[in-house]
Amino acid sequence: MVTGFRDMVDFPILSIMTFLPLAGVFIILMIRGEAEDVDRNAKHMALYTSLFVLAFGLFLFKGFDGSSADFQFVEKVQWFSSFGFSYHMGVDGISVFFVLLSAFLTPICIIASWDSIKTRVKEFMVAFLMLECLMIGTFCALDSILFYVFFEGVLIPMFLIIGVWGGPRRVYSAYKFFLYTLLGSVLMLIALLTLYVQGGTTDIPALMDVDIAKNMQLWLWLAFFASFAVKMPMWPVHTWLPDAHVEAPTAGSVILAGVLLKMGGYGFLRFSLPMLPDASLFFAPMVFWLSVIAIVYTSLVALVQEDMKKLIAYSSVAHMGFVTLGIFTVTTQGVEGAIFQMLSHGLISAALFLCVGVVYDRLHTREIGRYGGLVNNMPRYATVFMIFMLGSVGLPGTSGFVGEFLTLVGAFQVDTIIAALATTGVVLGAVYMLLLYRRVIFGPQDNKDAAAMADLNIREIGVLVPLALLVLWLGVFPTTVTDRIAPSVDKLIRNYEADINADPVAEKTTIEDVIIIPNIIIPEGGSL
Amino acid sequence: MSDFNLIPLLPEIFLSMIAMGLLIVGVSQGNKVTPVICWACAGGLAIAALLLLGMNWDTHVVLNGMFVFDQFAGFMKLLIILGLITALALSVQYLEQEHMARFEYPILVVLAGVGMMMMVSANNLLALYIGLELQSLSLYVLAAFNRNSLRSAEAGIKYFILGALSSGMLLFGISLIYGFTGSIDFTVIGQSLGGLETIPFGVTFGLVFILAGLAFKISAVPFHMWTPDVYQGAPTCVTALFAIVPKVAAMALLMRLLFDPFMAAQEQWMQIIYFISLASMALGAFAAIAQENIKRLLAYSSIGNMGYALIGIVAGSPEGAGAVVLYILIYMVMTAGVFAIVIGMRRENIAAEQISDLGGLSKTHPVQAYAMAIFMFSMSGIPPLAGFFGKLFIFQAAVAQEFYILATLGILTSVVAAYYYLRIIKVMFFDEAVDGFDQAMPFARRAVLFIAVVFLLAFIIRPEAIIESAQSAASALFI
């Protein structure tokens, strides 16, 4: 059972993965010399640091016991001892792949920015490594305050990345991103503090066992929802995403679509479902309808976009709709599908934004109409782009299929109408992606500049091919992921159903119950 | 109780003597020794801090119950002294640059400090008033210290008139309290109110007036009107002083007053503080959006911050009080850091005060820009910076006492406030560069900047010592 890696019990691999990027930041800040040398050394340093983190990530993957539903690689140290917070890190099947995704996408982003970021290179690399630290920390944290610190801290580097290196409307987009997300998050903070007061602990595994009164659950659920729904983003609070994506530099879009959006889904799985099961059941129909609207509506919106990045951004909202749909079915297929869909979308949308970045670097426009017939002068690009396009459509054999299929299977078990409506989104997804592909890759070569563009260079191939291989691998061997997440998902669903069944009046809540201001009893020892 | 013991007053006595002695030196030597007197005052304050640390921090009540020294007083006095040293350190160069290096400045600062320390230790309504007036009179003069500037004179007059009005209200409230409880001694008031089933209406009435007077001193809405004008008009080094120190003293005084003699009337004052807190947070957040002058912006920011601190008082629990102490400590550090930068905003030896003057600071002075960005993110309460934890503990205290609505509304205003803090970051990082500032950055300002940045960044790593001392200081109020 026990592998060699887990014998090294005291080896704090999660902390190392989280804080190694910060060590890189310090070294980069120390670099002195000519501007050109500084830029070059900063880039190399950032790349090596992120590759080291990725290497640790591979050890983590190897050492992770996929048959266990418990938290693994746990570290726990006292922190803010007078308040009883702790520095508690650990991963289970739900979080481990998000850690890997973050560790995998960061070096890709750094390579992708190698030539396209020309100003303030050192600062850019610092911001990216900080982002990596915070992302990995978010997925590893097992203390609610620690989680919030990482979750919210992400805003700082991302605000700067959009605002400093973004496009013409970058200031507006950076503000919108920051304030939208902050507004949701602060409500979550109040909810976390309430949970702390109710449960007397900030330890996430311990909080999962705390029973909370039904009325209180509903309020807390809404507060969490405010944060995670914005982060996902769900319709109708998704409007920050297209702006942020369009204005962010390529690497910023990649990390935004690839990892940051997943924090919302991860939050639902970590907080809403296990801690607030009654409220999750109560609000599930609302989430279903919001998800379906997101899937259908944003697909239609994507259909009429002229800006490539905007189109992919809207498609992200639609794909995230499948995720929320799957999560709140609380079926094995639905939840596993949601996690799989998040991972798959993390790879595919990241790759699509990189593909846009490739042509944007050459022609400096994202307008679809300015391209056409690229298959003639960029055959390699056309091939890679096709793989990701088909992955986004959800063609069997790519990772996109597995995620969408599983979530829909989960949805069918709960509500056939919802599932049927969501399935139309798959069709619409095919329409807008194929349309995009046809207009960019095929068709006449009207624009001389576009016709003169060079095909992928070695660096771009090095970035895109690993992503393509992963997308195909996960499409053919999805069990690589699903086997490892299954025990944790099963445990989540078992606990959820046990909680629901323990409370027979759960179904009977009416809206009047919700409006009553909650009456809280602080449990014994719960006060501070 | 009434044995004649002056040991607990040692720092105050020492500082008064320093002030008098240096005043004589100043009068005989003239204005050319101002920097020397500044540093001598700072040194005197540092010695006072050492005296404070060397004292016995158990509760002592001396001077016939007029003066109390306990852990809370000790901790707050330490904060006040450190704040004064910081303000003096930031002032020295600025006074020279603005041609107002007169020796009265540091002496007035020290005298204001003595007043503040009396406020913190007051155990009697008259001692409270005398401490408050000593502080206020020194500050009125300081606000108008740049007598060649019309704005500075205006600031001084405005501050004085409104301050005198608030003192009048305070005295009226004191007289009512005396009339209805028969005493001005905190201990006696507390005992007589504690024995009552209902609080007499006259006491509530008096308390309202006292709170109005004190709300003026911490610039809480609706008694905040003087703040933006005085902050803008006063010389920047005085604004820095106003922002960093007097609020600590007034907040400490408010806490002692409410948690000690008037704890029995909690139901009454809680509603008032609730409203003041909410109104301050909201006004601080919304009114700051439209500001173009950075000093005015910081004035509104300080109004909002006092609103957050008051949440902890509303909670009325030892945790709430601890959270307030901690919040004020973190607020002081952030403000000191911000002013270390604002005071250095000069082009060709003219002070620049517009937010747009910070344009492109990240290109011209990257270190200052990153420091400022850290202060701004910290003020907006973004983790992992210390400002987040200040807010966290405040809101935790509110939630623990079931003030959900106050906590929610408060945290929502912090999102609005984040908008204008971000605006400063936007100007520094996203906008085109304007001309750089004058280069000279003296050691004192560098040191303040460095300490503030390190404190805000490192707080998350080893916070226990600070939190515990803040909590044990606050718990002294609840014995």
Side-chain angles (χ1 to χ4, degrees):
Chain A
M1 264 306 278
V2 180
T3 67
F5 284 104
R6 219 162 314 104
D7 284 344
M8 302 153 75
V9 272
D10 289 333
F11 188 66
I13 187 164
L14 296 179
S15 291
I16 289 180
M17 284 184 75
T18 308
F19 295 108
L20 194 63
L22 280 192
V25 166
F26 279 114
I27 297 174
I28 290 177
L29 289 177
M30 297 295 167
I31 298 174
R32 291 281 180 278
E34 298 283 316
E36 248 173 67
D37 296 341
V38 172
D39 288 356
R40 200 185 59 244
N41 290 332
K43 281 192 268 197
H44 279 108
M45 191 60 222
L47 180 62
Y48 297 147
T49 312
S50 60
L51 285 176
F52 265 111
V53 176
L54 180 59
F56 279 110
L58 294 177
F59 283 125
L60 179 75
F61 180 67
K62 191 138 186 275
F64 183 80
D65 178 5
S67 61
S68 160
D70 294 330
F71 288 103
Q72 300 175 35
F73 306 101
V74 172
E75 300 160 29
K76 194 167 184 181
V77 183
Q78 284 226 323
W79 181 59
F80 285 92
S81 47
S82 51
F83 284 86
F85 307 164
S86 61
Y87 173 80
H88 191 180
M89 304 279 265
V91 286
D92 66 354
I94 294 172
S95 53
V96 66
F97 286 101
F98 293 112
V99 175
L100 294 176
L101 184 69
S102 313
F104 178 68
L105 285 181
T106 308
I108 286 188
C109 286
I110 289 171
I111 301 174
S113 323
W114 207 260
D115 295 328
S116 54
I117 297 295
K118 294 189 174 63
T119 54
R120 306 203 212 179
V121 177
K122 183 171 143 185
E123 282 92 336
F124 185 84
M125 296 300 159
V126 167
F128 245 89
L129 289 180
M130 274 168 60
L131 199 55
E132 179 171 32
C133 158
L134 296 166
M135 291 186 307
I136 294 179
T138 307
F139 294 122
C140 294
L142 288 184
D143 179 276
S144 61
I145 299 298
L146 186 66
F147 170 82
Y148 187 83
V149 166
F150 285 123
F151 183 86
E152 190 82 332
V154 166
L155 294 184
I156 297 178
M158 204 59 209
F159 177 74
L160 294 175
I161 286 172
I162 298 176
V164 176
W165 293 278
R169 287 174 70 238
R170 60 188 200 275
V171 174
Y172 169 79
S173 304
Y175 266 115
K176 198 167 174 181
F177 161 75
F178 194 102
L179 294 176
Y180 246 86
T181 326
L182 183 65
L183 185 65
S185 304
V186 293
L187 292 175
M188 175 172 80
L189 180 63
I190 295 290
L192 288 175
L193 288 173
T194 313
L195 275 177
Y196 168 46
V197 172
Q198 299 255 301
T201 175
T202 54
D203 200 54
I204 290 176
L207 280 174
M208 289 179 185
D209 296 332
V210 173
D211 275 330
I212 294 160
K214 176 76 188 289
N215 280 331
M216 199 65 205
Q217 279 200 24
L218 298 176
W219 287 100
L220 293 177
W221 193 93
L222 285 174
F224 277 115
F225 185 71
S227 173
F228 299 142
V230 169
K231 204 86 176 182
M232 284 292 291
M234 290 179 76
W235 184 88
V237 286
H238 65 285
T239 58
W240 62 272
L241 185 74
D243 287 312
H245 268 317
V246 168
E247 299 305 325
T250 303
S253 296
V254 169
I255 218 75
L256 190 59
V259 184
L260 299 197
L261 304 191
K262 278 68 195 174
M263 288 180 181
Y266 174 72
F268 281 130
L269 291 168
R270 195 50 99 223
F271 291 92
S272 302
L273 281 193
M275 293 179 199
L276 312 166
D278 297 333
S280 297
L281 183 70
F282 179 77
F283 285 112
M286 179 186 86
V287 176
F288 290 157
W289 281 107
L290 289 179
S291 307
V292 165
I293 294 173
I295 293 170
V296 176
Y297 169 77
T298 50
S299 296
L300 290 172
V301 174
L303 209 51
V304 295
Q305 294 306 316
E306 278 302 316
D307 183 310
M308 288 200 224
K309 264 187 158 181
K310 234 177 187 159
L311 190 148
I312 299 169
Y314 279 110
S315 86
S316 287
V317 182
H319 283 123
M320 287 295 114
F322 286 104
V323 174
T324 43
L325 182 61
I327 290 174
F328 281 92
T329 61
V330 204
T331 55
T332 312
Q333 292 88 343
V335 175
E336 279 185 26
I339 298 173
F340 200 93
Q341 170 80 348
M342 283 196 268
L343 295 171
S344 146
H345 177 262
L347 298 172
I348 293 173
S349 67
L352 287 172
F353 280 115
L354 287 169
C355 285
V356 175
V358 166
V359 287
Y360 180 78
D361 283 347
R362 288 166 172 69
L363 208 59
H364 296 288
T365 175
R366 292 182 302 263
E367 206 183 313
I368 298 172
R370 304 265 289 138
Y371 295 93
L374 293 188
V375 69
N376 298 317
N377 54 325
M378 301 176 81
R380 279 182 293 204
Y381 177 71
T383 316
V384 184
F385 194 4
M386 185 182 71
I387 294 173
F388 297 124
M389 182 272 294
L390 292 176
S392 179
V393 169
L395 192 79
T398 63
S399 60
F401 169 74
V402 184
E404 284 183 6
F405 183 72
L406 282 176
T407 50
L408 289 173
V409 168
F412 262 112
Q413 298 170 30
V414 178
D415 192 332
T416 44
I417 296 173
I418 293 287
L421 289 171
T423 314
T424 60
V426 181
V427 180
L428 287 169
V431 176
Y432 63 74
M433 284 315 289
L434 289 171
L435 211 59
L436 169 72
Y437 193 73
R438 185 187 66 75
R439 292 178 65 190
V440 172
I441 302 294
F442 301 120
Q445 283 193 300
D446 294 334
N447 187 340
K448 288 280 174 296
D449 295 333
M453 292 196 302
D455 206 349
L456 297 181
N457 61 29
I458 293 290
R459 188 175 55 78
E460 288 158 347
I461 291 174
V463 169
L464 289 170
V465 166
L467 280 166
L469 290 178
L470 263 181
V471 168
L472 293 175
W473 175 273
L474 290 182
V476 181
F477 301 104
T479 47
T480 318
V481 171
T482 50
D483 281 355
R484 286 178 172 81
I485 60 181
S488 300
V489 171
D490 286 341
K491 185 180 167 200
L492 175 78
I493 292 172
R494 254 197 332 275
N495 290 343
Y496 175 82
E497 282 169 355
D499 280 341
I500 296 291
N501 294 335
D503 183 8
V505 291
E507 304 250 4
K508 290 183 191 146
T509 309
T510 57
I511 195 72
E512 282 77 21
D513 295 339
V514 186
I515 292 168
I516 298 165
I517 301 285
N519 178 22
I520 302 151
I521 299 145
I522 297 176
E524 201 96 4
S527 63
L528 313 167
Chain B
M1 173 167 134
S2 58
D3 59 328
F4 190 71
N5 178 4
L6 286 181
I7 301 293
L9 283 89
L10 210 54
E12 284 86 349
I13 296 172
F14 175 75
L15 282 180
S16 311
M17 288 169 63
I18 287 275
M20 295 308 150
L22 288 173
L23 191 61
I24 295 168
V25 175
V27 169
S28 61
Q29 298 294 314
N31 286 331
K32 61 181 184 297
V33 293
T34 307
V36 180
I37 294 187
C38 273
W39 291 118
C41 282
L45 286 164
I47 295 172
L50 291 178
L51 284 176
L52 205 55
L53 285 172
M55 279 161 47
N56 177 0
W57 282 31
D58 296 333
T59 306
H60 289 83
V61 182
V62 293
L63 300 183
N64 286 321
M66 282 279 227
F67 187 96
V68 60
F69 184 82
D70 53 12
Q71 261 195 313
F72 179 72
F75 191 80
M76 296 314 261
K77 282 181 191 179
L78 210 54
L79 288 190
I80 290 170
I81 292 178
L82 291 178
L84 289 173
I85 295 176
T86 313
L88 274 180
L90 293 179
S91 305
V92 180
Q93 191 200 23
Y94 186 84
L95 291 172
E96 304 258 334
Q97 285 167 335
E98 290 288 305
H99 309 293
M100 50 180 214
R102 296 192 298 277
F103 66 87
E104 290 93 340
Y105 179 87
I107 290 163
L108 283 168
V109 171
V110 172
L111 284 177
V114 174
M116 292 179 215
M117 289 161 77
M118 288 296 295
M119 284 161 69
V120 172
S121 272
N123 196 37
N124 177 304
L125 289 171
L126 272 189
L128 175 160
Y129 182 73
I130 290 170
L132 196 69
E133 282 306 287
L134 177 57
Q135 177 224 232
S136 299
L137 283 171
S138 314
L139 294 183
Y140 300 147
V141 181
L142 284 173
F145 202 72
N146 192 359
R147 59 188 175 204
N148 295 326
S149 151
L150 209 57
R151 276 189 177 282
S152 178
E154 184 199 325
I157 298 281
K158 202 173 250 174
Y159 192 24
F160 173 68
I161 292 175
L162 288 172
L165 184 69
S166 82
S167 296
M169 288 202 275
L170 189 70
L171 273 181
F172 183 53
I174 289 175
S175 65
L176 280 170
I177 296 288
Y178 177 62
F180 278 86
T181 63
S183 175
I184 50 170
D185 187 281
F186 284 6
T187 322
V188 180
I189 295 175
Q191 282 163 356
S192 57
L193 289 183
L196 298 173
E197 289 214 345
T198 53
I199 303 296
F201 183 65
V203 171
T204 313
F205 206 68
L207 191 56
V208 170
F209 277 95
I210 291 185
L211 286 180
L214 290 180
F216 175 87
K217 301 295 175 195
I218 58 169
S219 68
V221 178
F223 305 100
H224 64 284
M225 273 78 134
W226 59 277
T227 321
D229 294 335
V230 172
Y231 269 50
Q232 185 183 11
T236 309
C237 58
V238 178
T239 313
L241 175 73
F242 282 176
I244 300 171
V245 207
K247 310 233 156 127
V248 184
M251 200 57 112
L253 176 63
L254 192 62
M255 285 165 77
R256 187 184 290 286
L257 195 68
L258 295 181
F259 291 148
D260 192 12
F262 291 106
M263 198 58 190
Q266 190 187 10
E267 215 176 300
Q268 278 77 13
W269 58 252
M270 193 269 283
Q271 300 171 19
I272 302 171
I273 304 284
Y274 193 111
F275 166 76
I276 291 180
S277 160
L278 204 54
S280 303
M281 289 187 293
L283 186 117
F286 284 101
I289 291 175
Q291 302 307 320
E292 291 299 328
N293 182 298
I294 190 148
K295 283 157 77 180
R296 278 188 94 83
L297 183 128
L298 289 168
Y300 284 107
S301 152
S302 84
I303 294 173
N305 273 303
M306 287 303 118
Y308 292 112
L310 286 173
I311 293 182
I313 297 188
V314 174
S317 57
E319 296 90 54
V324 177
V325 174
L326 205 59
Y327 191 87
I328 290 181
L329 167 65
I330 294 170
Y331 165 78
M332 272 178 80
V333 177
M334 294 189 292
T335 314
V338 170
F339 273 98
I341 288 172
V342 171
I343 217 167
M345 290 169 60
R346 305 180 72 80
R347 277 201 192 88
E348 285 153 14
N349 215 15
I350 308 276
E353 294 186 349
Q354 299 302 310
I355 292 171
S356 55
D357 288 322
L358 286 166
L361 193 70
S362 64
K363 295 199 184 81
T364 49
H365 301 276
V367 176
Q368 287 188 45
Y370 280 100
M372 190 72 162
I374 288 172
F375 301 143
M376 290 298 129
F377 278 126
S378 180
M379 284 210 173
S380 9
I382 307 295
L385 303 164
F388 163 71
F389 291 99
K391 289 208 168 78
L392 177 75
F393 298 134
I394 287 280
F395 287 119
Q396 191 267 324
V399 169
Q401 301 298 321
E402 303 185 12
F403 288 102
Y404 294 108
I405 294 173
L406 182 63
T408 309
L409 291 176
I411 209 155
L412 288 178
T413 61
S414 85
V415 178
V416 180
Y419 171 79
Y420 64 80
Y421 291 128
L422 283 185
R423 181 157 151 243
I424 294 182
I425 298 175
K426 174 221 144 200
V427 168
M428 292 188 302
F429 283 85
F430 307 165
D431 286 3
E432 285 309 308
V434 290
D435 293 343
F437 296 132
D438 297 349
Q439 278 297 340
M441 182 134 175
F443 172 76
R445 269 176 50 212
R446 270 172 218 263
V448 171
L449 212 53
F450 179 77
I451 294 170
V453 167
V454 169
F455 178 89
L456 296 180
L457 288 177
F459 184 79
I460 184 170
I461 302 171
R462 281 255 159 264
E464 282 86 1
I466 297 171
I467 292 177
E468 270 160 29
S469 46
Q471 280 179 336
S472 65
S475 64
L477 288 175
F478 288 85
I479 295 167

